[in-house]
Amino acid sequence: MLRRLLATLMMLGLGLCGTAALGGVPYKIITASERGTYIQIGRDLAKFVAPDAGIDLEVLPSAGSAENVQRLREEPGVKFAMVQSDVYQAFLDQADRGQREARRMISPLRVVMPLYDEEIYFIARADSKLEYMHEIKDATINAGALRSGTALTATTLYRQMFGTPLPEANASFLSNEEALAKLVTDKSIDVVVVVAGQPAKLLADMKPEARDLIKLLKFDPNHPSSRAALTSYFPATIRASSYPNLLASDVPGLTVKAVLVTYDYTMGFTINNLSRFAASLCRNFGRLRAEGHPKWQQVQLALPDLGKGWLYYPPTARELRNCVPGNPPVAAPAPAPAPVRAGCSQQERILGLCR
């Protein structure tokens, strides 16, 4: 009877292993809106990279980067998240100021690799007197949904350009779709901020009639307020070829970096899986560029130096550095600052830290 029981258990174990091998280890990646670029990048990773690493990668939508940080920390099965660089930095800044919740959430997170630049769009009605980003100071602005990267970017840019937080009376935090509807219908919103890598599905899917309804505001790098914004963001060109139904010519704009993030996992099973994922990313990088979203053309496998407080995940960094020789060794984690509770600011509310 004991031999039969052992044989049965062995058969069950083999069956389970076979199922796991067939379907892959179930992991998740948190992205953003269904009509954004993050989710398309996540689907490319699930299609071209994860299977070769023995991973079944489920791609999940979200409100955006701030929510992604929280879900990576707290949601079972989530092993990767797409995060805007300014959102990641905002968590680090809040942790440095002693915000306990920010410190708890960001301290164990690690960067897999920087990805590409995301364009920042300031959208106004076609008949608006506004033409440039630096003219929006007194406008009613939809900054994006709370806990989204867009909201953090919009409010950070406003504060940098004008030296003051976006007034709550002039701010709304609706989804892109809701805000655009209000922009052109009841006109209760003057400007809608959208952050997405071009070509962004939300704008690329618009019909030619959209030109009669909305326009993109231009970025003037020579204006004093614009120069202040360039301390955190970078100039870019929003190409008419990306949005032929909306733009007759290219529009100068801004970008922010997208980053692939994971957790500082220490269990051998997870370390091995994430190492295989990085090795597969290296092997299949050509397919990502040939068959994936156009933004893969901007991605490099090199791992540049990160800012203060930013750390690469050592197991994936080793694989990617083997893929791109000559990069420096992985830095050791720096000690976290002692926490001191701060007040609940607009930025904390956007990051979901007021709990």
Side-chain angles (χ1 to χ4, degrees):
M1 181 178 292
L2 180 60
R3 285 197 297 271
R4 285 198 299 272
L5 178 61
L6 289 173
T8 301
L9 290 172
M10 288 177 65
M11 290 178 67
L12 286 172
L14 288 172
L16 290 171
C17 290
T19 301
L22 181 63
V25 180
Y27 284 168
K28 301 173 185 178
I29 180 171
I30 302 294
T31 60
S33 163
E34 289 278 5
R35 296 171 65 83
T37 306
Y38 275 9
I39 199 163
Q40 297 177 68
I41 295 295
R43 287 167 180 163
D44 288 343
L45 291 171
K47 180 177 180 180
F48 301 119
V49 176
D52 195 22
I55 293 172
D56 181 8
L57 188 63
E58 184 180 1
V59 183
L60 302 177
S62 76
S65 292
E67 179 183 317
N68 294 359
V69 169
Q70 180 182 350
R71 292 176 68 178
L72 176 60
R73 283 289 280 112
E74 298 174 352
E75 187 172 323
V78 174
K79 294 296 188 288
F80 302 103
M82 305 278 291
V83 180
Q84 287 174 204
S85 59
D86 56 348
V87 172
Y88 198 96
Q89 186 62 51
F91 274 104
L92 288 172
D93 292 343
Q94 289 287 341
D96 283 343
R97 296 184 188 118
Q99 221 284 353
R100 287 190 176 93
E101 181 66 5
R103 179 172 177 263
R104 182 190 72 82
M105 291 175 68
I106 203 68
S107 293
L109 299 195
R110 298 293 183 265
V111 176
V112 176
M113 63 185 296
L115 292 171
Y116 55 87
D117 293 330
E118 286 195 288
E119 284 71 25
I120 305 168
Y121 310 85
F122 282 67
I123 305 172
R125 282 185 298 279
D127 61 359
S128 171
K129 294 180 179 179
L130 300 172
E131 294 292 337
Y132 291 92
M133 293 182 190
H134 61 255
E135 298 172 341
I136 66 169
K137 185 175 182 180
D138 298 319
T140 302
I141 301 168
N142 187 75
L146 292 174
R147 299 166 65 202
S148 71
T150 298
L152 192 282
T153 296
T155 53
T156 300
L157 266 171
Y158 188 96
R159 187 172 61 252
Q160 289 179 337
M161 286 192 294
F162 306 116
T164 183
L166 173 61
E168 292 291 342
N170 290 353
S172 65
F173 297 95
L174 304 174
S175 69
N176 294 333
E177 291 80 1
E178 290 177 289
L180 286 171
K182 286 184 171 293
L183 179 78
V184 299
T185 55
D186 64 24
K187 301 185 179 181
S188 57
I189 293 172
D190 300 318
V191 176
V192 176
V193 182
V194 174
V195 179
Q198 66 177 321
K201 186 174 176 59
L202 176 69
L203 301 178
D205 286 351
M206 288 185 174
K207 304 300 182 185
E209 297 87 324
R211 287 192 194 185
D212 298 327
L213 299 173
I214 63 172
K215 64 182 177 183
L216 300 187
L217 301 184
K218 298 182 282 290
F219 176 73
D220 178 4
N222 297 315
H223 193 273
S225 63
S226 298
R227 288 197 293 272
L230 291 174
T231 59
S232 301
Y233 302 94
F234 305 92
T237 299
I238 300 171
R239 300 182 300 274
S241 59
S242 296
Y243 310 110
N245 289 342
L246 181 60
L247 299 179
S249 59
D250 294 349
V251 173
L254 289 172
T255 62
V256 62
K257 181 70 74 176
V259 184
L260 182 63
V261 178
T262 188
Y263 184 87
D264 189 18
Y265 295 104
T266 58
M267 293 183 63
F269 177 74
T270 306
I271 291 172
N272 289 338
N273 289 334
L274 297 191
S275 297
R276 287 200 306 271
F277 182 88
S280 177
L281 179 60
C282 180
R283 287 192 301 272
N284 293 287
F285 190 62
R287 289 193 68 191
L288 289 170
R289 285 192 158 188
E291 304 176 50
H293 190 277
K295 275 294 182 181
W296 284 109
Q297 302 301 321
Q298 291 184 4
V299 180
Q300 303 292 327
L301 286 178
L303 301 182
D305 290 339
L306 299 173
K308 180 182 178 182
W310 294 60
L311 298 167
Y312 285 113
Y313 182 53
T316 55
R318 280 192 291 270
E319 293 293 337
L320 294 175
R321 286 191 168 111
N322 287 336
C323 181
V324 183
N327 286 308
V330 180
V340 179
R341 174 63 180 148
C344 186
S345 64
Q346 184 182 70
Q347 189 177 76
E348 287 178 290
R349 188 156 59 93
I350 290 168
L351 294 174
L353 298 174
C354 299
R355 297 195 296 172

